[in-house]
Amino acid sequence: MLTFTDHGIYCEAGDFFIDPWRPVNRALITHGHADHARPGHGAYLATEAAAPVIRHRLGVPVETIAFGETRRIGSADVSFHPAGHVPGSAQIRVEVGGEVWVVSGDYKVEPDGLCELFEPVRCHAFVTECTFGLPVFRWRGQQEAMDEVNAWWRANAEAGIASVIGAYSFGKAQRVLAGVDAAIGPILTHGAVENTNEVLRGQGLTLPATERITPDTPKSAFAGALIIAPPSALGSAWSRRFGAQSRAIASGWMALRGVRRRRGADRGFVISDHADWAGLNAAIAETGAERIFATHGYTAIFRKWLESEGYDAHVVSTEYEGDLFETDSAEEEAGEAQA
Ligand SMILES: [Zn+2]
Ligand SMILES: [Zn+2]
C-alpha cells in the first residue's frame, strides 16, 4: 500500500509522498525539521500547528489539516495524529480499502509541556523511526532533566558567568525555554532560535520572555544570563563575546560517552525529542501492527530486535543514513541560515 521509492515513501492510491527527500508533486509533511520538510515540492500538506514553521523555513504555501480530521486523497483516506516530537508534529495514517498504515515521522511518547501529546494509532503496518533504538538510551523525566539545567544555570549565575546551552532551534530550544526557571535571570537567544520563537508565539504558544542577541547587545548583558543557541554556535566567534561562560548541550546523544567532549561542551544534558528504547517499544506494541518498517537511526539492529520479538520487521533506507550524530545536527541546520 505504501512503497519505498528513491524519492521517499509513496502512496499510489492517493498519488502522494510522505516526507519525500526529492521534489514531488504532492508531499504530506510530518513536521518542519529539515530532514522531513524539504523545498521544491509542488504542493504541501501539514497540520495547522506544523504549517507556520514550514512556511517560515521554506517560503512555500502549505495546505493545512487539523489533527484527527480525515481527508480523501485519490482513493486513500488520510489523517494526521500527534507525534509528540515538536509542536505540530504528526504521525500520518493512511487507509486504503480497510488496510491501515501509519508513518510515525519522528516521535516521543513522554509529555514535555510543549508539544501535543503522542497518540497511539492502531494499524496493520507501522513505519517507525528508531533514532535512539538501542537499550542504552533511556530518558529520565522532563522535570528531572530540567532541574539539572536550572541548577547549572543558577550556579553559573551566582558565579557571575554566562550559561550557554546548545539546543536545536526548532523544538529543543523551546522545550528548554518551557522548562527553565525564568526567575533565575534573563534569557537571551541566538537569531535562529528567536526567529522560531516568534513563529511559535504567533500561533499561540506561550514561552517565557526572551531577548534576541544583536551586535548592539551590551557586554554587560551576558553574565548571569541563560543564552540559548544552536549547538553549532557553541565555541564560535559569535559566542566569544559572552566572556566567562559555561557551555552545555541538550541532546539525546549526550547519553553517549565522548560526544559532549567532541562538541566542546562543559556539560551535557540528556534531553531528547525522540523516543528512547522503552518508548519505541511501547509505541510499537500499542499500534497492534504486525509489520514494522524501521527508519532513521539504528535500523539494522532495531529490525533484528523486532524480529526476535515476533514482528515481521523491515528496514527502510532514507537518503541520509550514515553518521547518526550528523542526522541529529541536520535537524539544526535549517534555522541556522536565517540567523
Ligand atoms: Zn524531527
Ligand atoms: Zn528526523
Side-chain angles (χ1 to χ4, degrees):
M1 199 180 98
L2 297 183
T3 51
F4 303 98
T5 77
D6 60 357
H7 283 61
I9 302 172
Y10 179 62
C11 174
E12 194 178 1
D15 191 22
F16 59 78
F17 288 82
I18 296 174
D19 291 351
W21 51 84
R22 295 204 186 124
V24 301
N25 287 333
R26 179 160 213 165
L28 276 53
I29 305 292
T30 58
H31 66 290
H33 279 147
D35 54 331
H36 299 260
R38 295 167 195 264
H41 306 311
Y44 292 78
L45 178 66
T47 65
E48 287 159 356
V53 165
I54 298 170
R55 289 188 193 111
H56 168 74
R57 291 187 150 188
L58 303 182
V60 295
V62 179
E63 198 190 325
T64 60
I65 184 167
F67 278 118
E69 173 192 341
T70 301
R71 196 164 298 183
R72 176 142 276 223
I73 303 177
S75 57
D77 285 318
V78 169
S79 56
F80 289 53
H81 304 267
H85 169 60
V86 293
S89 66
Q91 311 169 72
I92 299 180
R93 179 188 189 274
V94 184
E95 179 169 354
V96 179
E99 190 181 345
V100 178
W101 286 51
V102 170
V103 177
S104 76
D106 294 336
Y107 67 94
K108 164 172 102 274
V109 294
E110 174 205 343
D112 65 3
L114 180 74
C115 307
E116 305 84 3
L117 194 58
F118 176 87
E119 177 192 310
V121 182
R122 304 284 297 178
C123 55
H124 299 101
F126 187 49
V127 182
T128 181
E129 67 127 320
C130 56
T131 307
F132 293 108
L134 292 181
V136 64
F137 295 110
R138 287 194 183 274
W139 313 147
R140 287 170 309 156
Q142 161 90 357
Q143 193 53 54
E144 207 180 323
M146 289 312 304
D147 286 349
E148 254 188 35
V149 174
N150 285 324
W152 165 75
W153 180 17
R154 199 172 287 116
N156 294 334
E158 279 161 11
I161 66 173
S163 301
V164 189
I165 188 162
Y168 63 79
S169 53
F170 171 37
K172 190 69 57 66
Q174 292 76 31
R175 190 169 158 200
V176 168
L177 260 177
V180 290
D181 177 2
I184 297 171
I187 304 171
L188 308 180
T189 49
H190 183 278
V193 170
E194 197 54 34
N195 289 345
T196 310
N197 288 350
E198 281 174 4
V199 174
L200 294 173
R201 285 186 180 116
Q203 68 189 71
L205 241 80
T206 308
L207 297 170
T210 53
E211 197 182 319
R212 179 191 298 264
I213 295 169
T214 71
D216 299 328
T217 307
K219 266 203 142 130
S220 57
F222 303 122
L226 177 68
I227 298 165
I228 306 180
S232 58
L234 256 69
S236 67
W238 177 81
S239 70
R240 248 165 256 148
R241 49 198 285 241
F242 306 148
Q245 58 190 271
S246 176
R247 297 173 184 154
I249 291 182
S251 166
W253 298 110
M254 293 301 118
L256 294 183
R257 228 174 281 241
V259 176
R260 173 184 61 77
R261 241 183 2 260
R262 280 209 298 282
R263 303 218 78 183
D266 306 306
R267 285 293 299 269
F269 297 112
V270 183
I271 300 176
S272 176
D273 290 336
H274 296 267
D276 65 0
W277 172 256
L280 289 169
N281 281 286
I284 290 166
E286 276 194 285
T287 64
E290 284 169 10
R291 293 177 75 189
I292 309 294
F293 296 84
T295 181
H296 231 67
Y298 295 96
T299 47
I301 300 168
F302 198 60
R303 187 204 71 78
K304 266 202 152 163
W305 158 254
L306 291 173
E307 198 173 61
S308 75
E309 289 288 286
Y311 292 101
D312 174 17
H314 308 263
V315 167
V316 180
S317 346
T318 58
E319 199 172 55
Y320 297 91
E321 294 296 332
D323 187 331
L324 290 163
F325 198 73
E326 290 310 307
T327 307
D328 188 46
S329 40
E331 301 204 330
E332 301 155 11
E333 302 311 330
E336 261 135 87
Q338 302 146 5

